[in-house]
Amino acid sequence: AALVVVAIALLVGRGRHRADDHVAASITDAALIDNGGSGAIAASENDGATATVAEPTAAPAPESSGEPSADEVTIDPSTPPLPKRVKPARHESTADLLGEANAKRAAKQWRESDALYARVVERSQNSLAAQTALIASASLHLEHLGDPKGAARRFRRALAMAPSGALAEDARWGIAEAARANNDRTAEADALDDFLAHHASSPLASRAKARRAELP
């Protein structure tokens, strides 16, 4: 009878021990599930110690380079904007202006051409270029702008620059033509006399003589 009682006690003790192990395992599984299955389990196989769950470590913060990021850069509204580069003005030479004036004249843009000739005269006074521009402008006023008086003034100014120059013949002939267009017969006769006195061998001399014969 005593042996039976001891055997029953042993069986009951083993049952309780297995029940305790089952409950401990259930608690461990529940803890793992509650933490999303993450963490490390450290358990002692010899003494059946309770498992522990390691907390995840945070990633180290990146080191600062000392330079502000693009999101941190701000613009001071009081800072004035950088000035825009201004292209230097194109400097036109006298030859360029004469070329443009002649091109306008060829295109029958009389006013524009005359304005360019005036710029040449203003820029290079008392020069051959200015004398050329004056005679060209005078011919525009005589032939296309209906201004024989303005033409006469320009021819006389050009002649005064160089009375014995290469363009003196053109200037003297122009003075006579302007007087004729202005219906000033006395001024025309004087201009023709002056022309023949200085340019007797000119190809225009025969015309000058014929016209002078028609005048008193």
Side-chain angles (χ1 to χ4, degrees), residues 87-132:
K87 294 183 179 180
R90 178 174 174 263
H91 178 71
E92 292 179 308
S93 66
T94 302
D96 292 335
L97 289 175
L98 282 174
E100 291 179 25
N102 293 335
K104 295 290 185 182
R105 184 170 185 159
K108 298 183 179 181
Q109 298 177 5
W110 317 124
R111 297 286 182 184
E112 294 82 352
S113 177
D114 187 50
L116 290 169
Y117 286 134
R119 288 176 60 185
V120 174
V121 175
E122 181 181 2
R123 178 173 295 184
S124 56
Q125 298 180 10
N126 299 321
S127 67
L128 179 60
Q131 189 182 27
T132 302

Side-chain angles (χ1 to χ4, degrees), residues 175-176 178-193 211-216:
I175 293 171
R180 183 176 182 177
N182 199 37
N183 199 26
D184 189 342
R185 296 169 69 89
T186 301
E188 183 184 1
D190 293 339
L192 290 172
D193 291 339
R211 177 57 183 170
R212 182 64 182 91
E214 297 175 2
L215 298 172

Side-chain angles (χ1 to χ4, degrees), residues 169 199 201-207:
E169 180 181 342
H199 312 287
S201 59
S202 168
L204 296 173
S206 59
R207 289 179 59 185

Side-chain angles (χ1 to χ4, degrees), residues 21 42 52 70 72 134 150 155 166 175 187 189 197:
D21 291 343
T52 60
E72 296 175 348
L134 275 172
F155 281 129
I175 293 171

Side-chain angles (χ1 to χ4, degrees), residues 23-153:
V23 171
S26 299
I27 293 174
T28 302
D29 293 341
L32 289 174
I33 294 172
D34 185 59
N35 286 311
S38 61
I41 299 176
S44 174
E45 295 179 356
N46 297 326
D47 55 4
T50 304
T52 60
V53 179
E55 293 293 335
T57 58
E63 295 183 0
S64 175
S65 62
E67 297 292 334
S69 63
D71 296 335
E72 296 175 348
V73 176
T74 58
I75 299 176
D76 187 359
S78 63
T79 303
L82 294 176
K84 295 182 179 180
R85 290 186 178 181
V86 179
K87 294 183 179 180
R90 178 174 174 263
H91 178 71
E92 292 179 308
S93 66
T94 302
D96 292 335
L97 289 175
L98 282 174
E100 291 179 25
N102 293 335
K104 295 290 185 182
R105 184 170 185 159
K108 298 183 179 181
Q109 298 177 5
W110 317 124
R111 297 286 182 184
E112 294 82 352
S113 177
D114 187 50
L116 290 169
Y117 286 134
R119 288 176 60 185
V120 174
V121 175
E122 181 181 2
R123 178 173 295 184
S124 56
Q125 298 180 10
N126 299 321
S127 67
L128 179 60
Q131 189 182 27
T132 302
L134 275 172
I135 292 177
S137 174
S139 65
L140 284 177
H141 282 260
L142 179 61
E143 299 170 7
H144 303 291
L145 299 179
D147 181 22
K149 290 183 178 180
R153 288 195 304 269

